[in-house]
Amino acid sequence: MATAERLVRSWMASEKDSEVDESVAGISSGQLTLLDIIRALGEFLTSEEDRLRMKGVEFLSSVLGRCPHERLNRQAIRVLTTFYCSKLEDLETIIPALNGLSYLVKFPNIQSAEVKDILNAVFANVKMRALVQSTRFFVFSIVDSLITSHRDTLKEMGSTFLAGYVNLAVGEKDPRNLMLAFAIARVVLVEFDTLAHIEDLFDITFCYFPITFRPPPDDPYGISADDLKQSLRLCLSATPAFGLLGIPVFLEKLTAGSPSTKRDTLHAMDICLPVYGSAVSREFGKKIWSSLKLEIFQPTDPDTEYSALNTLQALVRTMHADKSQDAVNEDSITGLARDMCNECMQALKEPEKAQARAAIKVICAFARANGPLSRFAVSQAAELLIRNFHDPDEVSNRASVVMLLTELIEACRGDATHASISQSSHSSLSPLTASKDALLGLLIVSLKMPATCLPALQGLTALVRTPTLVADDELGYIVLEVSELLRKEPDEVEDVTTDTLALLSAIAGIAPHHLSSQTLPILFSFLPDVTPSRDATAQRAFYWRALSSLSALCVQPQLFETLVVRLIAKLDLLCAISPTRTFDQESTTAYAHAILTALTNTLDVKVSSKDVDVPKYAEQLLPHMFRLYLDAALASSEVIAVAADPRLLQVGARIIRLVNQTLNIARQEKLVAAVFAAYTQGDVKLITGGLLNSSTPFAPLYLDASPRQRNSFILFSSTIVSLRKEVRMPVDNLSTFLSELVAWSDNPSSTVFQREAASHVLASNVNKHVDDVSDFLSSQLEDYSSSALKNTTIPAEARKNAIRTWSSVTRALLVRSHPSANVFIDHLFELLDDNTVDWDAARAIGLLANDDSVLTKRNDAVLKILHVQKYFNTVMPRLLEGAKGTKGSRRETAYLVALAYLINAVPKAVYVTQMPSLMPILLRGLDLVDPSIRSHIINTLSNNIDITSTDKDAVSMYASTLVLAMLKNCTYSEMPDPGVRAAALKYLALLPGTVRYDLLHPYKTRVLKELAKILDDPKRAVRKEAVIARYGMTTFSVVQLFTMN
């Protein structure tokens, strides 16, 4: 007891949380009881001084809120209930008493009698309008807790509880309290007998509709308008009893509301109509239809129109919810349903008018409702439109008719596909079943006419995607007719090529054998065995179009297998090596590249879709690819070898990488062993499936190897890059192998193409096997950095190549957030003081944050989240410090270059907070010689102008500098690079929306004069941007002058 008195008196004097925590700890340990606390508070609880009474109850409530639930028995609960209820009668203690009750009602030992006492006391003594928000929140929390844990007791109270709660909830406006109030109201409406109080409950819910709440900036509670709207809708749709009262409110809001209010009303009706029931929907159906018809036939905006169609769909579905679709016939559709259909049919008689488009949208809404009206409306509309199409007097409207029919077919299809419903299933026939033959014939005929070809293709696509509707032989007929479009000249069918391929692709997923027998032969016939000459433009256009079509269509396993066989056969002919063969090498290389690209694009789609048939091509395709390329690599330099072209090697390497990505660990180990045997030992049998045509040894990693052999290393690289991290390299010492690879890459005879392939192998192995290459990393830091990276006695080009190698290793460590990455980065920073390679090192520092095609999840690289942000936060302070100088030294310029590349490489969100400090530094970079740096800086400024525009002073401060710098960079005489000129003009066009008129006006004449000169720029893209910038500057001036006057 003495301890309790000490704690109470101490708290009354200091109000520190420590006394509350100590009291709770005493109760938890059994040293104190809550009764001891109450006794110690006795003199304060009964004090005549208001402040002391309030503080006494507040301390008790604080202790109760933290007290373990098991420490209070039923007797204690009863005593506390009586105490708190009595304190509700005291205006000075009502706030802490409500706080204490909000804790007490959560104790499991509270009984039904206490629940009733608490609620009766709250209903009798609490006047909500006299309380602040936080106190009202306690009241709602008490009711919410009781309705959660003691719902049966509240139901026993009946009208007493309902009437009392209505009085509490009336007039509440705070969003935090409303979220609780709406939740309580929904439970009451759903589970309580509310018939006698339905009007009162209607008043305290519908008075908030529609919600117009806008959360204040930086709202700490995070309650959005959508949260309130969703909670209110759940209340409005909680009981059918609201139907007769609620529908008139909805209709009033639809008539007089703003577009936003109308959309809220329509969304609420979507949810409420099914609950209110068919009887209410029929009673108000005509009024609802009149309001919806106005929004559909005379729409103010697309969103409201869409919402109105959804509500109409809900209305139709609800009106006929109690009718069986099987029993529906034409005579059974009466009343409002028939009136709606008749109005739409009348509009469809003039298909070329806008009213017909609105009418078909209504019919589509009926179709999607899947009710009794669906089949009737669809059949009526389809028959009318088909008659109209065949009417000789309506020939000019055929295109409009086909477009309307296409929308109807699409609506009948819904979300179903052939993949989701078997064609053999006839449990739910489409409403279009009776009209299918007529529709199919109409659409096929429409393919023959240019005006109707496009909508006909779209209609056929929707038709074939409708399950159970089109039979297999009919699919074959469609393929036969559509394939004829592929025979036409490109100019004739250019506008419908995409839709033609979409239709054929849809059929390929259902019945690929039709394409295999009818479409593919046509497309393959456009691929000549001999390369067209350079002046044969039409033939080249045909094979490009054919390959593009084949790539899009042959995704299915059966079709892809055919594609692989036929295209590889073409490649064999094109890449055949013969000393006596004469041909145009460039044209043949372009044709072969197109074939490989088509194959790669299809393979990429299949790998992204995780098709299970891709792994088999490790045995069926890859050996052939290796044999094709290695034969070319071993051919004499005097013989033309098409497959030795680096551009073809790049595409072939991508094919190898894609296939390898789909292999399991065991198969990847087998493949990498074969590749290592070929490239390190010269044993090519395993990867080519046999001997090559040449007897020349294959040794690409030898320093004296031919350029063709060394170029083929990219095939090795693509295999390594796509390996899983669990696959180990078949070498005795990985560090030694990587060191030898660096020496091979740094050899003066190595080309950029070869060094890039080697850097990919380095990056992949360091990233995936960092623990196995510790010796290699140590060697790089201790030996390579001094012998190559910082060695000023070797040629500058060799040092630049070393920087690229170093960057590959650094990035491999960086993306996995390895500690060694920082050491490697420090070495690059040291090079910023070296006048020979400072800019190269600066570019490397910035580009380390760039994405690449090697270290990706698809290649199973080890990537840590936020590694870019961590790198940015590490190096940005150093770069800012180094670039802040005003002397213009070469060192400061190098830091500026690194900064420009870094900002261009990272997402805008990473550096947006630092834009004010970056602005003066970036502006200095606009004077650098390198066009790419200027382009990076201008693009950064353009991307962030929306951010800097929020703080007008940030841009206005540099207005003159920005205008002059952009004018300098957009003139042909000052900036030869067209990309920089176009970027500068784009930024000039953005400035009027950011800089104040009075600051920009002094430069208006000069800007317009300079922009007039740029209208004669040799590049069309630059001239276009100049026109836009000039118009923006002129319009800006006129608008501002008008505003000022």
Side-chain angles (χ1 to χ4, degrees):
M1 183 66 184
T3 302
E5 290 181 358
R6 178 181 59 80
L7 291 172
V8 167
R9 293 185 180 278
S10 177
W11 186 88
M12 295 294 288
S14 65
E15 297 187 18
K16 291 183 178 179
D17 276 350
S18 57
E19 281 77 14
V20 177
D21 292 336
E22 193 173 342
S23 300
V24 173
I27 294 173
S28 300
S29 64
Q31 296 175 359
L32 291 175
T33 65
L34 204 59
L35 183 59
D36 294 334
I37 301 294
I38 295 175
R39 287 172 180 167
L41 283 168
E43 62 180 288
F44 301 106
L45 297 177
T46 58
S47 173
E48 294 183 0
E49 188 175 342
D50 294 340
R51 188 179 65 85
L52 291 178
R53 290 201 314 278
M54 183 187 70
K55 290 185 66 176
V57 178
E58 183 181 346
F59 179 75
L60 179 61
S61 297
S62 299
V63 173
L64 184 63
R66 304 181 193 183
C67 182
H69 286 187
E70 65 274 7
R71 304 305 299 180
L72 263 67
N73 55 29
R74 291 185 180 181
Q75 182 182 359
I77 294 289
R78 182 63 195 168
V79 171
L80 286 169
T81 299
T82 303
F83 168 77
Y84 278 122
C85 288
S86 67
K87 290 302 176 182
L88 291 179
E89 300 172 3
D90 186 348
L91 291 178
E92 299 302 326
T93 60
I94 190 172
I95 294 176
L98 286 171
N99 187 16
L101 283 173
S102 70
Y103 296 132
L104 185 63
V105 295
K106 296 177 182 178
F107 279 74
N109 289 333
I110 191 169
Q111 299 300 301
S112 176
E114 287 84 38
V115 170
K116 293 179 181 179
D117 290 345
I118 291 171
L119 285 175
N120 288 328
V122 169
F123 295 155
N125 299 298
V126 174
K127 310 301 179 187
M128 295 290 275
R129 294 185 180 181
L131 302 177
V132 297
Q133 179 275 327
S134 58
T135 307
R136 299 198 307 272
F137 184 80
F138 290 146
V139 178
F140 283 111
S141 297
I142 292 169
V143 178
D144 183 59
S145 297
L146 292 177
I147 210 168
T148 300
S149 305
H150 301 276
R151 197 167 301 174
D152 292 337
T153 302
L154 271 59
K155 290 180 181 179
E156 290 176 10
M157 295 178 68
S159 293
T160 302
F161 168 71
L162 293 176
Y165 175 72
V166 167
N167 288 332
L168 292 177
V170 167
E172 181 57 56
K173 295 180 179 180
D174 188 87
R176 289 163 287 179
N177 295 344
L178 284 177
M179 290 296 291
L180 271 179
F182 291 157
I184 294 169
R186 175 165 174 80
V187 174
V188 169
L189 289 164
V190 171
E191 298 196 23
F192 287 59
D193 181 7
T194 59
L195 191 59
H197 298 271
I198 197 65
E199 290 189 10
D200 293 332
L201 292 166
F202 172 83
D203 290 338
I204 65 169
T205 51
F206 270 82
C207 66
Y208 297 105
F209 183 82
I211 295 287
T212 56
F213 168 71
R214 289 186 180 181
D218 302 322
D219 179 18
Y221 302 102
I223 298 175
S224 67
D226 287 338
D227 294 332
L228 287 170
K229 289 177 182 179
Q230 182 64 25
S231 297
L232 179 59
R233 286 172 194 157
L234 292 175
C235 289
L236 305 185
S237 61
T239 173
F242 275 168
L244 296 176
L245 301 170
I247 295 296
V249 175
F250 291 145
L251 293 175
E252 178 189 352
K253 301 301 181 183
L254 278 179
T255 303
S258 65
S260 176
T261 299
K262 289 181 179 180
R263 286 192 293 273
D264 286 343
T265 304
L266 292 168
H267 291 158
M269 292 177 72
D270 291 349
I271 301 173
C272 293
L273 285 175
V275 177
Y276 295 167
S278 56
V280 173
S281 296
R282 292 194 193 100
E283 181 175 345
F284 291 95
K286 289 187 178 180
K287 293 181 179 180
I288 296 174
W289 164 241
S290 297
S291 297
L292 296 179
K293 181 170 60 175
L294 187 65
E295 301 301 332
I296 297 170
F297 283 83
Q298 300 176 25
T300 54
D301 61 87
D303 292 336
T304 306
E305 179 191 23
Y306 178 78
S307 299
L309 288 168
N310 285 339
T311 304
L312 177 61
Q313 188 174 322
L315 173 66
V316 170
R317 189 181 289 118
T318 305
M319 286 173 57
H320 297 90
D322 54 354
K323 294 184 179 180
S324 171
Q325 186 168 349
D326 297 333
V328 172
N329 53 46
E330 184 174 343
D331 296 332
S332 66
I333 303 297
T334 57
L336 177 61
R338 183 173 284 277
D339 291 343
M340 288 190 291
C341 285
N342 289 340
E343 287 187 51
C344 293
M345 297 308 150
Q346 199 64 32
L348 289 176
K349 290 180 180 179
E350 298 177 306
E352 75 282 3
K353 293 186 177 180
Q355 294 294 296
R357 295 297 303 275
I360 202 65
K361 290 178 181 178
V362 172
I363 299 297
C364 290
F366 294 163
R368 294 189 180 97
N370 294 324
L373 185 59
S374 172
R375 192 176 303 278
F376 173 76
V378 170
S379 61
Q380 292 288 309
E383 290 174 10
L384 187 150
L385 290 172
I386 291 171
R387 286 198 307 271
N388 197 311
F389 181 87
H390 293 295
D391 187 346
D393 296 333
E394 298 289 340
V395 172
S396 60
N397 295 328
R398 282 186 170 180
S400 300
V401 170
V402 176
M403 284 190 285
L404 295 177
L405 280 171
T406 296
E407 288 189 43
L408 185 61
I409 297 168
E410 188 67 35
C412 293
R413 184 177 73 87
D415 296 327
T417 63
H418 274 275
S420 61
I421 302 178
S422 170
Q423 287 200 46
S424 61
S425 172
H426 296 280
S427 59
S428 178
L429 294 176
S430 169
L432 292 171
T433 301
S435 308
K436 179 192 67 173
D437 293 340
L439 279 173
L440 187 57
L442 181 152
L443 293 172
I444 293 297
V445 169
S446 300
L447 291 175
K448 315 294 183 182
M449 297 175 284
T452 58
C453 185
L454 180 59
L457 285 168
Q458 295 169 345
L460 285 169
T461 303
L463 203 65
V464 301
R465 285 178 173 167
T466 305
T468 76
L469 188 58
V470 184
D472 185 74
D473 59 333
E474 291 169 332
L475 289 174
Y477 177 55
I478 294 173
V479 171
L480 177 66
E481 295 294 337
V482 173
S483 296
E484 291 302 313
L485 295 174
L486 301 175
R487 297 183 185 275
K488 295 185 178 181
E489 294 290 334
D491 294 341
E492 297 180 44
V493 292
E494 184 177 357
D495 292 337
V496 299
T497 300
T498 302
D499 295 275
T500 302
L501 295 177
L503 172 55
L504 292 174
S505 296
I507 298 175
I510 305 165
H513 57 281
H514 291 306
L515 273 76
S516 182
S517 60
Q518 298 184 71
T519 306
L520 297 194
I522 295 175
L523 294 174
F524 284 127
S525 69
F526 294 140
L527 303 181
D529 293 337
V530 180
T531 306
S533 60
R534 295 194 183 195
D535 56 354
T537 307
Q539 286 181 290
R540 290 207 307 275
F542 265 115
Y543 81 63
W544 269 105
R545 181 164 163 257
L547 287 170
S548 177
S549 301
L550 286 167
S551 180
L553 296 177
C554 295
V555 177
Q556 295 298 319
Q558 176 185 340
L559 302 180
F560 183 68
E561 187 170 5
T562 303
L563 179 72
V564 170
V565 172
R566 296 295 297 270
L567 293 189
I568 289 299
K570 292 291 182 186
L571 277 176
D572 287 341
L573 292 174
L574 294 173
C575 299
I577 300 172
S578 173
T580 60
R581 184 183 175 201
T582 57
F583 56 91
D584 186 335
Q585 183 177 357
E586 189 61 27
S587 297
T588 304
T589 302
Y591 185 19
H593 187 274
I595 290 174
L596 283 167
T597 301
L599 187 58
T600 304
N601 291 341
T602 309
L603 193 57
D604 196 3
V605 173
K606 291 177 68 65
V607 173
S608 299
S609 303
K610 299 183 179 179
D611 288 359
V612 296
D613 63 310
V614 177
K616 74 177 184 180
Y617 291 99
E619 289 80 25
Q620 297 182 11
L621 176 61
L622 296 194
H624 202 109
M625 298 295 296
F626 275 109
R627 185 160 60 248
L628 186 74
Y629 285 117
L630 296 193
D631 272 334
L634 295 174
S636 170
S637 59
E638 300 175 357
V639 177
I640 297 176
V642 174
D645 190 287
R647 292 168 293 184
L648 267 62
L649 282 164
Q650 282 184 318
V651 186
R654 190 177 169 205
I655 291 175
I656 294 170
R657 183 167 68 250
L658 287 169
V659 174
N660 195 26
Q661 287 171 355
T662 65
L663 301 182
N664 57 33
I665 294 175
R667 297 181 72 177
Q668 283 192 346
E669 289 175 343
K670 180 181 177 182
L671 177 61
V672 74
V675 169
F676 261 89
Y679 278 82
T680 62
Q681 302 168 23
D683 184 2
V684 298
K685 293 181 181 179
L686 293 176
I687 62 168
T688 61
L691 295 175
L692 296 176
N693 294 329
S694 175
S695 59
T696 305
F698 183 63
L701 294 179
Y702 280 44
L703 296 181
D704 58 349
S706 67
R708 287 180 175 177
Q709 287 199 34
R710 294 170 67 88
N711 283 343
S712 72
F713 184 76
I714 192 174
L715 307 178
F716 177 94
S717 173
S718 65
T719 307
I720 303 303
V721 161
S722 50
L723 291 174
R724 302 177 192 273
K725 61 179 72 73
E726 296 83 2
V727 178
R728 298 294 173 182
M729 299 297 102
V731 292
D732 296 332
N733 190 311
L734 186 56
S735 291
T736 302
F737 173 75
L738 296 184
S739 297
E740 292 173 352
L741 186 59
V742 170
W744 180 86
S745 173
D746 286 350
N747 189 278
S749 62
S750 294
T751 63
V752 174
F753 183 77
Q754 295 158 12
R755 284 193 294 270
E756 184 179 4
S759 69
H760 291 173
V761 176
L762 289 172
S764 181
N765 277 287
V766 170
N767 177 263
K768 298 174 185 177
H769 310 291
V770 66
D771 294 334
D772 297 336
V773 296
S774 55
D775 291 343
F776 170 73
L777 296 178
S778 299
S779 173
Q780 289 279 295
L781 292 171
E782 296 170 6
D783 301 329
Y784 190 75
S785 61
S786 57
S787 63
L789 200 65
K790 304 174 185 176
N791 188 354
T792 57
T793 62
I794 63 175
E797 193 60 36
R799 297 184 65 195
K800 293 177 182 179
N801 294 336
I803 290 175
R804 298 186 188 99
T805 301
W806 192 270
S807 298
S808 299
V809 176
T810 306
R811 176 160 171 73
L813 296 168
L814 177 66
V815 299
R816 63 174 294 150
S817 299
H818 194 275
S820 299
N822 292 328
V823 183
F824 278 79
I825 293 168
D826 289 341
H827 281 270
L828 288 175
F829 267 94
E830 292 175 16
L831 295 177
L832 295 181
D833 295 319
D834 191 317
N835 293 342
T836 306
V837 293
D838 49 356
W839 277 37
D840 297 272
R843 292 189 187 95
I845 291 172
L847 293 175
L848 283 176
N850 247 347
D851 292 331
D852 60 35
S853 59
V854 177
L855 300 175
T856 64
K857 281 294 183 185
R858 198 164 174 178
N859 286 328
D860 207 38
V862 181
L863 303 176
K864 298 294 184 179
I865 61 171
L866 301 179
H867 67 267
V868 172
Q869 288 85 339
K870 292 176 184 176
Y871 173 65
F872 180 88
N873 293 334
T874 300
V875 302
M876 177 54 79
R878 299 173 67 177
L879 294 178
L880 283 175
E881 187 64 31
K884 274 182 180 177
T886 57
K887 299 178 181 178
S889 66
R890 186 175 178 91
R891 181 178 185 274
E892 292 172 3
T893 303
Y895 275 87
L896 177 56
V897 170
L899 190 66
Y901 274 91
L902 177 64
I903 291 177
N904 188 68
V906 300
K908 181 168 65 175
V910 176
Y911 62 83
V912 63
T913 57
Q914 302 195 36
M915 276 305 294
S917 59
L918 287 172
M919 279 289 288
I921 300 175
L922 293 176
L923 291 176
R924 283 169 41 209
L926 293 175
D927 293 326
L928 296 179
V929 178
D930 192 339
S932 62
I933 297 176
R934 294 195 191 187
S935 179
H936 291 338
I937 293 175
I938 296 174
N939 289 335
T940 299
L941 294 173
S942 298
N943 291 337
N944 289 277
I945 199 167
D946 57 329
I947 297 165
T948 53
S949 63
T950 59
D951 180 9
K952 300 291 184 181
D953 294 336
V955 180
S956 299
M957 185 185 304
Y958 303 101
S960 59
T961 306
L962 285 167
V963 171
L964 297 176
M966 296 305 160
L967 285 177
K968 178 181 178 181
N969 280 281
C970 68
T971 56
Y972 181 77
S973 58
E974 294 285 345
M975 173 48 62
D977 190 293
V980 178
R981 299 202 301 274
L985 288 166
K986 286 181 181 178
Y987 190 78
L988 272 178
L990 295 172
L991 279 178
T994 305
V995 180
R996 295 200 319 268
Y997 174 74
D998 59 315
L999 296 176
L1000 204 57
H1001 179 69
Y1003 302 95
K1004 172 190 170 185
T1005 304
R1006 180 175 177 180
V1007 170
L1008 293 177
K1009 181 179 178 181
E1010 293 296 327
L1011 290 178
K1013 297 177 183 178
I1014 301 169
L1015 296 177
D1016 294 326
D1017 194 279
K1019 292 294 183 180
R1020 182 177 179 274
V1022 177
R1023 297 196 299 271
K1024 177 183 176 182
E1025 295 299 336
V1027 171
I1028 295 173
R1030 196 167 187 267
Y1031 174 78
M1033 184 67 68
T1034 306
T1035 307
F1036 170 71
S1037 302
V1038 172
V1039 171
Q1040 289 294 328
L1041 285 171
F1042 177 77
T1043 304
M1044 291 172 68
N1045 291 333

